């Protein structure tokens, strides 16, 4: 098992990702869900994320952890989302980007 590529409070490592994550966290989570599942973002991602943002963020974090072999559990994911939601969104984006995935759709080059 490994650790996250970037710390939970490592928001200044990429200011562009930080701004996108803080201004449009729902869009980030929708795109992350699609990225983890290796597919395009769909209307169901939009609906599910809009209606259940905290739950979707926890589930997405768990999927990213499992996919990349990162230590942790759903309880820890839930606590992180409850107390540092925007930092979680940023960390997840940076993790996916570090692994060569395109977690922010049109916002990432």
């Amino acid at each position: 098992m490994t650790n996250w590529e970037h710390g939970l409070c490592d928001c200044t490592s990429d200011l562009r990702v930080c701004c996108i994550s803080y201004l449009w966290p729902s869009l980030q989570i929708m795109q992350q869900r699609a990225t983890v599942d290796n597919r395009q973002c769909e209307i169901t991602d939009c609906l599910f994320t809009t209606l259940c943002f905290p739950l979707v963020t926890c589930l997405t974090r768990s999927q990213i952890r499992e996919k990349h072999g990162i230590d942790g559990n759903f309880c820890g994911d839930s606590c992180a989302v409850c107390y540092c939601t925007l930092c979680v969104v940023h960390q997840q984006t940076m993790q996916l980007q570090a692994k060569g995935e395109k977690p922010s759709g049109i916002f990432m080059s």
Side-chain angles (χ1 to χ4, degrees):
M1 296 302 248
T2 62
N3 291 320
W4 292 90
E5 297 286 331
H6 296 269
L8 189 60
C9 297
D10 190 17
C11 299
T12 58
S13 61
D14 188 329
L15 291 178
R16 180 180 56 147
V17 172
C18 180
C19 288
I20 294 166
S21 297
Y22 279 57
L23 292 173
W24 300 290
S26 294
L27 295 177
Q28 286 287 73
I29 294 298
M30 287 186 285
Q31 188 62 43
Q32 288 174 14
R33 284 181 48 79
T35 299
V36 169
D37 293 340
N38 294 316
R39 58 178 175 75
Q40 295 293 318
C41 195
E42 301 169 350
I43 190 71
T44 54
D45 295 312
C46 180
L47 292 172
F48 192 37
T49 302
T50 302
L51 296 174
C52 307
F53 182 78
L55 176 62
V56 173
T57 304
C58 288
L59 293 173
T60 303
R61 186 169 182 82
S62 293
Q63 287 180 304
I64 292 170
R65 266 191 319 92
E66 289 174 17
K67 182 176 182 177
H68 297 164
I70 298 171
D71 289 325
N73 57 44
F74 190 77
C75 182
D77 295 338
S78 299
C79 288
V81 169
C82 285
Y83 297 108
C84 296
T85 305
L86 298 177
C87 294
V88 164
V89 173
H90 179 266
Q91 184 185 40
Q92 292 173 184
T93 301
M94 295 301 293
Q95 178 70 29
L96 293 170
Q97 185 176 335
K99 297 298 182 181
E101 299 176 64
K102 194 172 182 180
S104 300
I106 61 171
F107 296 115
M108 305 298 276
S109 54

